[in-house]
Amino acid sequence: MHDADQIEVQTETRGDAVIVRPIGDIDLSRAPHLREQLSEALREAEARLVINLDDVPYMDSSGVATLVETMQMCRKSGKKLVLCQLQDRVRSIFEIARLDMVFTIVETTDEAINAG
Amino acid sequence: MHDADQIEVQTETRGDAVIVRPIGDIDLSRAPHLREQLSEALREAEARLVINLDDVPYMDSSGVATLVETMQMCRKSGKKLVLCQLQDRVRSIFEIARLDMVFTIVETTDEAINAG
Amino acid sequence: MNDVASSPHLRLEMLSQARLLSAARSMVGNFAQRLGFNEVECGQISLAVDEALCNIINHGYEKRDDGRIWLNVWGLEGERPGIRVMIEDVARQVEPDQIKSRDLDDVRPGGLGVFIIHEIMDEVKYDKREQGGMRLTMVKYLSSDSRPSSSSNETRHEESSHSGKGNTDHA
Amino acid sequence: MNDVASSPHLRLEMLSQARLLSAARSMVGNFAQRLGFNEVECGQISLAVDEALCNIINHGYEKRDDGRIWLNVWGLEGERPGIRVMIEDVARQVEPDQIKSRDLDDVRPGGLGVFIIHEIMDEVKYDKREQGGMRLTMVKYLSSDSRPSSSSNETRHEESSHSGKGNTDHA
Ligand SMILES: Nc1ncnc2c1ncn2[C@@H]1O[C@H](COP(=O)(O)OP(=O)(O)O)[C@@H](O)[C@H]1O
Ligand SMILES: Nc1ncnc2c1ncn2[C@@H]1O[C@H](COP(=O)(O)OP(=O)(O)O)[C@@H](O)[C@H]1O
């Protein structure tokens, strides 16, 4: 069961942006590992961190907390954070937590790369 | 909970074939309702009953038993039964039960309409 | 079956381990689906249960992984069909009125779980158990939005779609 | 955690109702996924559990819907990681050697469940419980096929894919 707390993350660099794509549910057990992965990606990103949530069918408030933390780290380092490709179930938690207006959320990865 | 034992089934008539498309898991709770739906479809089918399993992510041996029964009814009435679009998980139970050779199983609905 | 005093349809005893959350919430989400909740609602019910379990792990058992949690689930029938979830622990007791989320305007990590639970569920009640530990009871009712069709909750395209006893005599 | 005598990670008490099967098997399938079984294996483990529960409902409790079933699940670690499932009931007792499927060459509806269970699981054992009822114990081990990657079990395309502690120091 030693791997159950890890989350697979695909990363890709495009210009001054790093695109991170976590795969699978993000909950209390995996949020800490995602946090590590995101701060690593943020270090590598020159100007922009894009989180593609296409392959995240589920997220709980630990996942949301991790993203809020990442947003704060982005602000500190003067980089931009954009979320894209949210599934309906995941979008619903952002709405419930009234965070849909706090994060920059767009549809596609391309929009995320270009979002102002 | 009165609907939990029912399974949604889409039916379509194409020439002398009736195509039946159950939606959802087929297990002990839903097999009886599927059985009703299939025998009804078989009555309507002139020569061929096609069961499209595209939207069946899971089937247990009660589901398989229902299909074996339907196959026997088809034989009695001189009609042909073809299964198509099995998902991997469902194909795996046919293989385990050594029924993959007993049923006519093809890839697409079009093949199912034409299979000899 | 509808009697609140009757035994639950499902009663899961689990350890206070985050890695067990996904099994627990998938059980509840799946049961909710069978009760007729639509896909988004099933996700939300799973989320409410997940948040409640996270809080027991984090606050009740203070991240110990050998605490015990009991997750009881009933399908409600009759006039107001829905789902009832009762979660019990033998962890630290707190005053029920101390269990509340922070102000949402103050955006910072954490502090959302209890708010989310209240947003999703129609009834939420925390009690101190006499035998020690806490009890959370939550109910969500089926609404008119819950059932786009009698047995599937996805929106369906093309073709004739029939299901249910009402249709079986049209042959 | 690995000790067979230790308490299960998940212990589900359920009624002998077919409509509860999907919640029970989704719990087990989901837990199996977290243990590292691949998608087809998770489906098969769910199926073995489902078949065992069907048999208890149909044969043990003879379709009564108020019988009780206990589904215990352990994640096995150590040298031979895997999943262990123990299912208990207080239903009719039968001799363990009477629990067997029909000849597969005789194609007819039914009579496949026990065969399927044996095909899927690595160890299968039926016992009469001293307190009455039956006990089925099943184990399936992780194999080298189980883990295409350390945390996801789907085959992934394009892009660099990294996960796990081994990679975190490459920044
Ligand atoms: N099961 C519980 N046992 C003890 N205290 C709890 C429990 N659930 C919630 N609380 C209290 O309520 C507060 C708010 O919880 P929540 O909104 O989930 O945010 P967070 O868990 O991130 O602090 C917690 O900080 C804690 O003090
Ligand atoms: N839990 C059980 N309690 C009593 N008898 C059982 C149980 N499980 C299996 N059996 C016996 O084993 C036989 C074979 O079971 P199975 O292969 O699942 O086929 P089927 O259930 O379709 O008969 C059953 O017919 C029954 O006699």
Side-chain angles (χ1 to χ4, degrees):
Chain A
M1 208 136 74
H2 57 291
D3 277 339
D5 299 345
Q6 306 211 338
I7 182 157
E8 185 179 341
V9 169
Q10 300 177 338
T11 49
E12 188 195 355
T13 305
R14 256 203 247 170
D16 59 3
V18 169
I19 305 166
V20 174
R21 186 158 169 270
I23 294 162
D25 290 0
I26 303 175
D27 65 7
L28 184 63
S29 72
R30 286 170 167 175
H33 185 235
L34 178 65
R35 194 165 160 271
E36 284 178 30
Q37 305 274 79
L38 289 177
S39 53
E40 187 191 336
L42 182 59
R43 277 197 301 275
E44 287 170 16
E46 274 175 50
R48 182 182 296 252
L49 182 62
V50 174
I51 306 179
N52 177 349
L53 294 171
D54 185 28
D55 227 337
V56 175
Y58 178 86
M59 192 186 291
D60 71 8
S61 73
S62 333
V64 171
T66 305
L67 297 185
V68 170
E69 235 181 309
T70 305
M71 181 173 65
Q72 293 175 335
M73 293 193 296
C74 280
R75 280 187 188 159
K76 264 192 212 131
S77 58
K79 295 172 186 173
K80 184 148 183 74
L81 176 70
V82 186
L83 310 183
C84 66
Q85 308 230 39
L86 278 66
Q87 296 189 21
D88 286 351
R89 281 170 161 228
V90 170
R91 185 177 292 275
S92 137
I93 178 175
F94 280 87
E95 286 166 3
I96 291 172
R98 320 269 159 89
L99 288 166
D100 48 334
M101 292 306 167
V102 175
F103 284 97
T104 306
I105 302 178
V106 301
E107 285 299 319
T108 66
T109 314
D110 284 341
E111 283 174 73
I113 296 282
N114 300 315
Chain B
M1 207 135 74
H2 57 290
D3 277 339
D5 299 346
Q6 305 212 336
I7 182 157
E8 186 179 340
V9 169
Q10 300 177 337
T11 49
E12 187 195 355
T13 305
R14 255 204 249 170
D16 59 3
V18 169
I19 305 166
V20 174
R21 185 157 170 272
I23 294 162
D25 291 359
I26 303 176
D27 66 7
L28 184 63
S29 72
R30 286 171 166 174
H33 185 235
L34 178 64
R35 193 165 160 271
E36 282 177 32
Q37 305 274 77
L38 288 177
S39 54
E40 188 191 334
L42 181 59
R43 277 197 302 275
E44 286 170 16
E46 275 176 49
R48 180 182 297 251
L49 183 62
V50 173
I51 306 179
N52 178 348
L53 294 171
D54 186 27
D55 226 338
V56 174
Y58 179 85
M59 192 185 291
D60 71 8
S61 73
S62 333
V64 171
T66 304
L67 297 185
V68 171
E69 234 181 307
T70 305
M71 182 173 65
Q72 293 175 336
M73 294 193 296
C74 281
R75 279 187 189 156
K76 266 192 209 129
S77 58
K79 294 171 186 172
K80 184 147 183 74
L81 176 70
V82 186
L83 310 183
C84 66
Q85 307 231 40
L86 277 65
Q87 296 190 20
D88 286 350
R89 282 172 161 226
V90 170
R91 185 177 293 274
S92 136
I93 178 176
F94 280 87
E95 286 166 4
I96 291 172
R98 320 268 158 87
L99 287 167
D100 48 334
M101 292 308 167
V102 174
F103 284 96
T104 306
I105 302 178
V106 300
E107 284 299 319
T108 67
T109 315
D110 285 341
E111 283 174 72
I113 296 281
N114 300 316
Chain C
M1 183 128 66
N2 223 354
D3 182 3
V4 158
S6 68
S7 55
H9 289 100
L10 300 164
R11 176 176 170 81
L12 175 63
E13 180 179 327
M14 60 185 279
L15 295 169
S16 54
Q17 302 180 355
R19 53 190 62 181
L20 301 177
L21 288 171
S22 81
R25 69 176 175 257
S26 78
M27 178 190 85
V28 177
N30 214 284
F31 184 59
Q33 200 188 342
R34 286 287 166 125
L35 295 176
F37 286 99
N38 68 36
E39 220 196 292
V40 167
E41 289 169 329
C42 291
Q44 292 181 340
I45 293 166
S46 304
L47 180 59
V49 168
D50 176 310
E51 297 294 341
L53 295 173
C54 284
N55 279 342
I56 294 172
I57 295 172
N58 285 334
H59 306 298
Y61 289 115
E62 291 162 331
K63 302 189 175 152
R64 269 174 39 214
D65 69 358
D66 60 349
R68 247 157 244 285
I69 303 174
W70 293 269
L71 170 57
N72 301 277
V73 190
W74 290 259
L76 304 178
E77 292 183 340
E79 270 186 39
R80 293 195 77 182
I83 189 168
R84 182 165 176 272
V85 179
M86 185 178 83
I87 306 179
E88 297 179 304
D89 61 54
V90 286
R92 196 165 61 87
Q93 287 195 324
V94 288
E95 289 307 319
D97 60 9
Q98 292 306 302
I99 300 184
K100 49 176 187 267
S101 287
R102 62 168 172 75
D103 180 3
L104 244 62
D105 290 334
D106 171 21
V107 176
R108 55 179 175 76
L112 290 172
V114 173
F115 178 82
I116 289 172
I117 292 169
H118 280 275
E119 283 286 299
I120 291 172
M121 305 302 279
D122 295 319
E123 295 170 16
V124 178
K125 188 162 167 286
Y126 286 92
D127 296 296
K128 291 196 207 169
R129 295 170 74 226
E130 271 175 37
Q131 318 90 311
M134 299 295 292
R135 175 190 300 117
L136 166 59
T137 311
M138 313 186 273
V139 176
K140 188 173 175 76
Y141 297 107
L142 279 167
S143 71
S144 49
D145 302 337
S146 302
R147 302 181 164 232
S149 84
S150 67
S151 57
S152 162
N153 300 306
E154 285 130 324
T155 317
R156 289 287 149 192
H157 22 259
E158 88 270 76
E159 298 170 275
S160 77
S161 169
H162 65 98
S163 85
K165 285 175 190 129
N167 296 53
T168 41
D169 55 5
H170 79 243
Chain D
M1 182 126 67
N2 223 355
D3 182 3
V4 158
S6 68
S7 55
H9 289 100
L10 300 165
R11 174 175 170 81
L12 175 63
E13 179 179 326
M14 59 185 279
L15 295 169
S16 53
Q17 301 180 354
R19 54 191 61 182
L20 301 177
L21 288 171
S22 81
R25 69 176 176 258
S26 78
M27 179 190 86
V28 177
N30 213 284
F31 185 59
Q33 199 187 343
R34 286 287 166 124
L35 295 175
F37 287 98
N38 68 36
E39 220 196 294
V40 167
E41 289 169 329
C42 290
Q44 291 181 339
I45 293 166
S46 304
L47 179 60
V49 169
D50 176 311
E51 297 294 341
L53 295 173
C54 284
N55 279 342
I56 294 172
I57 295 172
N58 285 335
H59 306 299
Y61 289 115
E62 290 161 332
K63 302 190 176 153
R64 268 172 41 214
D65 69 358
D66 60 349
R68 246 156 245 283
I69 303 173
W70 294 268
L71 169 58
N72 301 278
V73 190
W74 290 259
L76 304 178
E77 291 183 340
E79 270 186 38
R80 294 194 77 183
I83 190 168
R84 182 165 176 274
V85 179
M86 185 177 84
I87 306 179
E88 297 179 304
D89 60 54
V90 286
R92 196 165 61 86
Q93 287 194 325
V94 289
E95 290 307 320
D97 60 8
Q98 292 306 302
I99 299 183
K100 50 177 189 266
S101 287
R102 62 168 172 75
D103 181 2
L104 246 61
D105 290 335
D106 171 21
V107 177
R108 56 180 175 75
L112 290 171
V114 173
F115 178 83
I116 288 171
I117 292 169
H118 280 275
E119 283 285 300
I120 291 172
M121 305 302 282
D122 294 320
E123 295 171 17
V124 179
K125 188 161 166 286
Y126 285 93
D127 296 295
K128 291 196 207 169
R129 294 170 74 227
E130 270 174 37
Q131 318 91 310
M134 300 296 293
R135 175 188 300 117
L136 166 59
T137 312
M138 315 187 272
V139 177
K140 187 172 175 77
Y141 297 107
L142 279 167
S143 72
S144 49
D145 302 337
S146 302
R147 301 179 165 235
S149 86
S150 66
S151 59
S152 162
N153 300 305
E154 288 128 323
T155 317
R156 289 288 149 192
H157 22 260
E158 89 268 80
E159 299 170 271
S160 77
S161 168
H162 66 99
S163 86
K165 287 174 189 130
N167 296 51
T168 42
D169 55 6
H170 80 244

